[in-house]
Amino acid sequence: MAWTQAEVRELKEGRYMLIEEEPCRILSIQTSKPGKHGEAKARIDAVGLFDGSKRSVVYPVKHKVQVPMIGKRRGQVLSLTDTEVQLMDLENYETFSLPLDAELKGQLSPGGEVDYLDAMGKRRITKA
């Protein structure tokens, strides 16, 4: 598992954390003040990197959460079909196939370069 730990109070908007074993990008964090006998809590709204679903969690600010190690890499498009794209990593020359997102259909061409995310054994093209 490629993740580290961090306290909730150390998290910031735009960073990443694991919610339900899914890497998520933090959209917003609201903290409440501590009560008379309680401690401050934080409500975190995030969106999944690979499934796109919104998630919300509430934790005490001293709670430790898992932060995934996100690799931002470049790859070259080797081949392209209607449903998937075959990429080669430009650092270690590994080849792999990814499903083709609907919004990227007209933007990719064989021989072109793309940016992709690599986290927790999953990959996704971010920018053509």
Side-chain angles (χ1 to χ4, degrees):
M1 298 266 252
W3 51 267
T4 60
Q5 280 192 339
E7 285 190 1
V8 171
R9 67 174 145 206
E10 297 169 357
L11 298 176
K12 293 184 174 31
E13 292 180 12
R15 300 268 173 95
Y16 303 98
M17 71 179 285
L18 284 180
I19 301 174
E20 301 167 359
E21 298 296 321
E22 177 72 24
C24 297
R25 186 171 54 84
I26 298 171
L27 298 175
S28 66
I29 300 175
Q30 297 98 24
T31 56
S32 64
K33 293 188 176 193
K36 187 173 181 181
H37 298 290
E39 64 179 298
K41 304 243 185 329
R43 177 187 171 90
I44 301 170
D45 295 319
V47 63
L49 287 180
F50 299 110
D51 60 3
S53 66
K54 288 188 141 192
R55 294 175 167 87
S56 247
V57 291
V58 177
Y59 290 127
V61 293
K62 292 182 181 179
H63 184 75
K64 293 210 183 273
V65 294
Q66 297 172 343
V67 178
M69 306 296 275
I70 307 283
K72 296 176 182 166
R73 305 178 142 223
R74 294 213 31 95
Q76 181 178 8
V77 178
L78 296 178
S79 67
L80 193 61
T81 65
D82 290 338
T83 58
E84 78 177 17
V85 59
Q86 186 177 18
L87 294 177
M88 176 181 67
D89 188 286
L90 292 177
E91 289 180 19
N92 59 11
Y93 305 111
E94 173 190 4
T95 60
F96 52 91
S97 294
L98 295 176
L100 185 60
D101 291 339
E103 67 258 7
L104 293 174
K105 278 201 177 187
Q107 301 176 8
L108 300 178
S109 62
E113 292 185 4
V114 295
D115 293 336
Y116 70 94
L117 292 179
D118 184 12
M120 306 287 294
K122 298 178 184 176
R123 295 180 174 129
R124 184 180 74 105
I125 297 174
T126 56
K127 187 165 57 171

